[in-house]
Amino acid sequence: MTQVVQGTPIRADVRDKLIVALDYPSVAAAEAAVAQLGDVVSFYKIGLELAVSGGIDLAADLIAAGKKVFLDLKLHDIGNTVERATAAAAERGFDILTVHAYPMTMAAAARGAAGSKLEVLGVTVLTSYDDADLAATGVVGGVTETVRLRAGQARDAGIAGVICAPTDAAMVRAILGPDRRVVTPGVRPKGAAVGDQKRIATPAEALAAGADRIVVGRPVTAAEDPVAAAQAILAELQGA
Ligand SMILES: O=C(O)c1cc(=O)[nH]c(=O)n1[C@@H]1O[C@H](COP(=O)(O)O)[C@@H](O)[C@H]1O
């Protein structure tokens, strides 16, 4: 169904570019948000907080309701474990699964997803990290150099694409080419609270830099009017 925002119809392909992060402490809270957002939002992310709170099973209801679902567990473990967990996520019908962008982890996830529609995305460098935060983990090389390295490794591992900051998206798109996914959290509409994010851009800037999809949590879920907040982001994406 086509959405109409302030007289402008929002195309279905534009709606699929907005992934709303269901970062809630209970399944009931997530279900209430999904009910409130109705047809406005077509793509949801189940992340760590909701998964630990029993939210993985919510995916079946979302899929039955025609939504796309991103399982954000940011896997990183021995190859056998990652491969089997990825195959289990594919079996459950998820559209996207995240793993950390380490070569062996990405290769294992690629094996686990083989033959399914599941898109494995490698998390390059978290959007809450700056150069100093990354250096504190022992990584040699700044954010830009590390994202460049990991994007190339994601391409070589044969996974669907990466998660990166919108500020990295143009560089990553050049590395991955047009056929792989570039998905960016760290997105803040003008004037929205930044919170713990450090490498941010607006929805329109993220798309202009080469992102396929954006992930947005608090600017929608903590808004006084989440429906209006999501609609405003979609209108910005459509205009980008
Ligand atoms: O993998 C992710 O989705 C992710 C990667 C990253 O580098 N940064 C990041 O913020 N995220 C997720 O994207 C969402 C961003 O939420 P907000 O900061 O509330 O918009 C959260 O659910 C994070 O877990």
Side-chain angles (χ1 to χ4, degrees):
M1 193 207 302
T2 304
Q3 293 296 311
V4 179
V5 178
Q6 287 160 3
T8 311
I10 299 291
R11 299 193 315 269
D13 65 303
V14 173
R15 276 200 300 153
D16 279 357
K17 291 182 185 299
L18 171 63
I19 303 174
V20 171
L22 292 172
D23 292 330
Y24 290 102
S26 70
V27 174
E31 284 174 338
V34 169
Q36 186 182 17
L37 289 165
D39 288 332
V40 173
V41 172
S42 59
F43 213 139
Y44 286 104
K45 180 168 86 76
I46 295 174
L48 295 176
E49 181 185 10
L50 186 58
V52 168
S53 308
I56 290 183
D57 288 340
L58 178 60
D61 295 342
L62 292 172
I63 292 165
K67 307 295 184 189
K68 294 189 168 66
V69 191
F70 168 177
L71 180 60
D72 180 22
L73 295 184
K74 296 186 180 68
L75 301 179
H76 182 46
D77 207 319
I78 63 169
N80 180 61
T81 301
V82 170
E83 181 176 341
R84 292 172 63 110
T86 303
E91 180 69 24
R92 280 174 171 255
F94 286 99
D95 294 283
I96 294 177
L97 173 72
T98 43
V99 303
H100 278 284
Y102 292 85
M104 282 172 64
T105 301
M106 294 189 287
R111 289 194 297 276
S116 77
K117 66 161 189 182
L118 179 69
E119 294 184 354
V120 174
L121 302 181
V123 179
T124 52
V125 174
L126 291 166
T127 53
S128 56
Y129 278 44
D130 60 18
D131 283 334
D133 300 318
L134 191 61
T137 69
V139 170
V140 178
V143 167
T144 301
E145 193 184 320
T146 306
V147 171
R148 183 184 294 121
L149 171 75
R150 292 179 177 169
Q153 290 173 330
R155 178 200 55 211
D156 296 346
I159 62 172
V162 306
I163 301 276
C164 65
T167 48
D168 308 322
M171 174 183 77
V172 168
R173 176 57 73 196
I175 294 166
L176 295 190
D179 298 332
R180 285 202 165 80
R181 297 282 189 204
V182 178
V183 177
T184 61
V187 171
R188 290 293 180 267
K190 273 203 175 60
V194 171
D196 54 349
Q197 299 287 3
K198 291 193 180 149
R199 299 182 353 264
I200 62 168
T202 65
E205 288 167 345
L207 280 205
D212 298 293
R213 307 188 196 284
I214 62 171
V215 177
V216 180
R218 290 161 288 184
V220 170
T221 57
E224 221 164 275
D225 183 345
V227 173
Q231 286 175 327
I233 292 170
L234 288 168
E236 181 177 336
L237 292 177
Q238 181 150 283

